[in-house]
Amino acid sequence: EGLIDIQNLLDKNLSEQAFSLIAESQKKAAQTENLELQLQLKLVEDKLLVRYNRQFSNEQILKVKEEIKKLTEQINTELLLSSLLIKMKQSDERRGVEESVPEKEKIFLEELMKNPVFDKTDLLRKKGKLIAHNVMHVGNMLLKRFPVAISHLQKMQALYTDMEMDTSTTINYLSNTNNLLVLSVGVRKFDEAERCLKILENNRYKNKRLEEYRKTLFSKNLIFFLFEKSHYHLLDKEIEDAEKYYLDSVIELSGNNNLFSCYYLGILNLGIGKLDNALNWIQKTIDHENTTYINVQAYCRIVAAIIHYEKNNFSLVESSLQNMNYFMKKNNFSEIVAS
């Protein structure tokens, strides 16, 4: 809108007013760190300076050209960082399939993270810094350097708290909080994980889309958090509350995303002796559609057999084991069955 107003003033030969509006628009763009708009405004200003060059000194004209150069460099740096992130995420596709990182991929990731562009991170706006830290987070996570990956996620979270939170930025902030929580649990930093969990629990949004996303992340991460902490102690009430919150979230039981929540709830209920509940969630895991984690579904068939045994349903134990054998052979797990 500002650019259109500037053009309208120029069409009426109101150059002085156009320069004033450019200065005002540049100030607003700088406050919101909108580099793209700043660059557009500087290019318009440059054209005006050339048109009315007799009114301005060479120093003034060169200063604007230098500012255009700096803005262009910043934008190009961010574009390079974005392309590095895309390349890195291509490696992320193997998560859940390969446990170890192939040597060729290690070299590839190391080279990406040594790119000279990272030397310019401190000169970038907040958006650029977020991209840079995200690249380093993904790279270090894939290389299983989890403490380093966590440090970059923490730096991202600090940046988000100092930004204007529109819908898109808030979704990224919640996603960042989710990633930080998961990695923190993975390295047994439960205090940091619990801090992230509190953010997901206590933040509230009027925007329906944001609120549903927050509730989904909280319900799933609460179950994951309790599952990992259950290695140390089990609290019946916490598990019951987590199960209720998850059910209230009305999450679709399809895809990799929600399979583990069902699995965790099954194991948690088994741990506190609620066999019917445990069997219900284990069966939901088995019935899950469109998932690549068929190894988890195979294991759940074994767990179902164990639960039936605990309930003295011996005929169902045999049925579950036969089902497991069929499933594993069908999915080329015959070597495991034979062993």
Side-chain angles (χ1 to χ4, degrees):
E1 187 179 336
L3 289 168
I4 294 172
D5 291 337
I6 291 166
Q7 189 58 53
N8 288 336
L9 289 171
L10 292 173
D11 291 341
K12 296 174 184 177
N13 290 319
L14 298 172
S15 59
E16 189 175 334
Q17 289 91 327
F19 275 114
S20 296
L21 185 54
I22 288 172
E24 183 184 334
S25 299
Q26 284 176 345
K27 185 177 179 181
K28 289 179 181 177
Q31 287 172 346
T32 57
E33 293 191 313
N34 190 334
L35 292 184
E36 293 76 14
L37 180 55
Q38 283 180 268
L39 179 58
Q40 285 180 294
L41 290 165
K42 281 293 173 187
L43 289 169
V44 173
E45 184 182 4
D46 182 55
K47 287 181 181 179
L48 285 178
L49 291 177
V50 172
R51 185 189 298 180
Y52 301 103
N53 62 81
R54 292 183 181 180
Q55 300 177 28
F56 302 96
S57 66
N58 288 335
E59 287 76 14
Q60 288 174 300
I61 296 171
L62 288 171
K63 181 184 176 185
V64 170
K65 290 188 181 296
E66 187 61 31
E67 288 169 345
I68 289 172
K69 181 183 174 183
K70 286 181 181 178
L71 287 167
T72 304
E73 285 177 353
Q74 276 191 281
I75 291 170
N76 286 339
T77 299
E78 289 185 9
L79 287 171
L80 176 56
L81 285 167
S82 295
S83 68
L84 290 177
L85 184 60
I86 291 169
K87 288 179 182 178
M88 212 160 257
K89 285 190 172 180
Q90 289 173 347
S91 300
D92 197 26
E93 293 173 1
R94 64 168 177 74
R95 268 198 307 173
V97 180
E98 296 179 18
E99 291 300 320
S100 60
V101 185
E103 191 61 33
K104 185 178 178 181
E105 188 174 312
K106 281 183 183 178
I107 295 169
F108 170 73
L109 292 169
E110 292 282 11
E111 287 301 314
L112 283 182
M113 290 192 288
K114 288 177 183 175
N115 193 297
V117 71
F118 292 105
D119 297 334
K120 303 175 183 178
T121 300
D122 291 340
L123 303 175
L124 299 174
R125 58 177 166 172
K126 294 185 185 76
K127 179 183 175 182
K129 290 176 182 176
L130 283 171
I131 299 171
H133 287 304
N134 200 16
V135 174
M136 297 301 285
H137 143 243
V138 173
N140 282 289
M141 181 188 67
L142 291 172
L143 289 168
K144 303 189 183 300
R145 298 172 184 162
F146 300 125
V148 181
I150 286 172
S151 71
H152 285 286
L153 285 172
Q154 288 171 329
K155 288 173 183 176
M156 289 174 69
Q157 193 161 80
L159 286 166
Y160 278 122
T161 56
D162 196 31
M163 292 175 70
E164 187 175 329
M165 302 294 277
D166 57 17
T167 302
S168 177
T169 306
T170 304
I171 287 174
N172 290 336
Y173 168 65
L174 291 172
S175 177
N176 167 263
T177 304
N178 170 77
N179 292 336
L180 181 54
L181 189 157
V182 171
L183 280 187
S184 296
V185 168
V187 296
R188 300 295 182 264
K189 290 188 174 182
F190 289 115
D191 288 345
E192 177 67 351
E194 195 161 3
R195 183 187 69 81
C196 294
L197 198 61
K198 288 293 181 186
I199 291 172
L200 296 176
E201 179 183 15
N202 296 330
N203 284 20
R204 292 290 187 276
Y205 303 101
K206 292 181 181 178
N207 182 297
K208 185 179 178 181
R209 179 188 171 200
L210 286 177
E211 183 59 13
E212 286 179 355
Y213 185 54
R214 178 201 68 80
K215 287 175 70 176
T216 298
L217 288 181
F218 174 65
S219 63
K220 289 160 61 174
N221 278 296
L222 178 59
I223 294 165
F224 172 60
F225 180 76
L226 291 175
F227 177 79
E228 291 298 324
K229 285 200 77 174
S230 70
H231 294 89
Y232 306 96
H233 70 281
L234 283 170
L235 295 175
D236 296 25
K237 182 67 167 59
E238 287 184 4
I239 295 168
E240 288 172 12
D241 290 345
E243 184 176 17
K244 183 177 183 302
Y245 197 98
Y246 184 76
L247 288 169
D248 288 346
S249 299
V250 195
I251 297 172
E252 182 184 1
L253 300 180
S254 177
N256 291 341
N257 230 1
N258 301 309
L259 178 136
F260 280 100
S261 294
C262 295
Y263 168 68
Y264 293 149
L265 280 169
I267 300 299
L268 285 168
N269 276 287
L270 179 60
I272 59 176
K274 293 194 171 184
L275 300 183
D276 289 334
N277 257 18
L279 188 59
N280 175 49
W281 287 109
I282 290 298
Q283 192 59 49
K284 285 182 185 292
T285 311
I286 291 170
D287 295 339
H288 231 68
E289 297 178 349
N290 303 320
T291 178
T292 58
Y293 287 102
I294 54 174
N295 54 337
V296 176
Q297 290 184 310
Y299 177 69
C300 280
R301 284 166 165 80
I302 300 173
V303 176
I306 292 169
I307 295 172
H308 287 309
Y309 180 84
E310 289 293 322
K311 296 178 69 177
N312 296 320
N313 294 330
F314 300 117
S315 62
L316 292 176
V317 172
E318 187 176 350
S319 174
S320 294
L321 291 174
Q322 287 174 349
N323 180 273
M324 176 199 70
N325 266 313
Y326 171 75
F327 180 81
M328 294 175 85
K329 286 178 181 177
K330 177 185 172 184
N331 290 283
N332 298 318
F333 287 156
S334 54
E335 298 86 352
I336 299 174
V337 178
S339 63

